[in-house]
Amino acid sequence: MKCIGELLDPDKYHVNGRIAIIENKEAVLKVFGFKSGKWLDLWDIDSRILTLFYKSYEEEFDWFIVVYDYQAFCDDSDIKEAIIWHEIGHIEYPVPEHQMSIESEIQCDRLAIQNGHMAGVSKILNLTMKMASSLNHEILTHITLQRQLELPG
């Protein structure tokens, strides 16, 4: 089920288009390979970092930022804003579905940092590294470490 949390202000985020943040637990779990939200608790994964960015095929919107739990997503404004800016970065630095691009992720992190969200990006990468460790996921660990190394001094 899709639940619209908010519409982003195009002027604030310097985008030419309409972006909605939607909550869709089932879609997020499916894309990240979890059969149930209980796995997030078991592995102590912070659901705020499980976000997706999609081009919309609906007339009303141009893009969607999909979050697992909208209320939790809004709990920390540093994390929320850093994720929003990072995801907007994927308009210019897209990553095809089921693929990874360290360079695109780094560019999107830079956009968030340029817009004043260094603290949020740092928090996100720390949470991502914690998740990679919890899942014993070597590729995610490598990608996250590369992104952390690119953070300004």
Side-chain angles (χ1 to χ4, degrees):
M1 177 174 69
K2 179 173 62 177
C3 174
I4 296 177
E6 70 183 274
L7 301 175
L8 298 185
D9 178 350
D11 294 330
K12 176 181 177 181
Y13 293 101
H14 315 291
V15 293
N16 185 16
R18 297 159 308 211
I19 301 174
I21 299 177
I22 61 173
E23 176 181 300
N24 189 326
K25 289 178 170 59
E26 295 80 18
V28 170
L29 290 173
K30 181 178 179 183
V31 168
F32 285 94
F34 297 109
K35 298 201 186 287
S36 129
K38 293 178 183 177
W39 289 107
L40 302 179
D41 293 333
L42 179 68
W43 285 318
D44 194 26
I45 295 171
D46 190 315
S47 67
R48 295 174 297 178
I49 62 173
L50 303 178
T51 60
L52 310 167
F53 188 73
Y54 288 113
K55 177 85 175 127
S56 172
Y57 294 108
E58 295 180 20
E59 223 175 273
E60 192 176 350
F61 306 104
D62 296 295
W63 297 280
F64 290 119
I65 296 174
V66 184
V67 300
Y68 179 79
D69 179 326
Y70 179 72
Q71 187 172 355
F73 178 74
C74 294
D75 282 348
D76 182 319
S77 63
D78 286 340
I79 289 175
K80 177 185 177 188
E81 288 299 314
I83 289 173
I84 289 171
W85 280 104
H86 176 97
E87 297 298 358
I88 288 172
H90 284 300
I91 295 170
E92 188 171 340
Y93 306 102
V95 178
E97 197 170 347
H98 305 297
Q99 292 186 23
M100 289 189 228
S101 170
I102 294 174
E103 198 52 44
S104 288
E105 295 303 322
I106 289 169
Q107 292 299 332
C108 293
D109 290 344
R110 286 182 183 150
L111 180 64
I113 292 166
Q114 288 168 1
N115 284 283
H117 300 289
M118 174 67 184
V121 171
S122 183
K123 287 179 185 181
I124 291 163
L125 293 176
N126 289 336
L127 289 169
T128 304
M129 188 59 85
K130 180 181 169 196
M131 178 174 76
S133 176
S134 175
L135 296 173
N136 195 27
H137 196 291
E138 289 182 33
I139 296 171
L140 184 57
T141 300
H142 173 73
I143 291 170
T144 306
L145 182 59
Q146 290 299 111
R147 290 171 65 190
Q148 287 176 322
L149 291 173
E150 292 292 326
L151 293 175

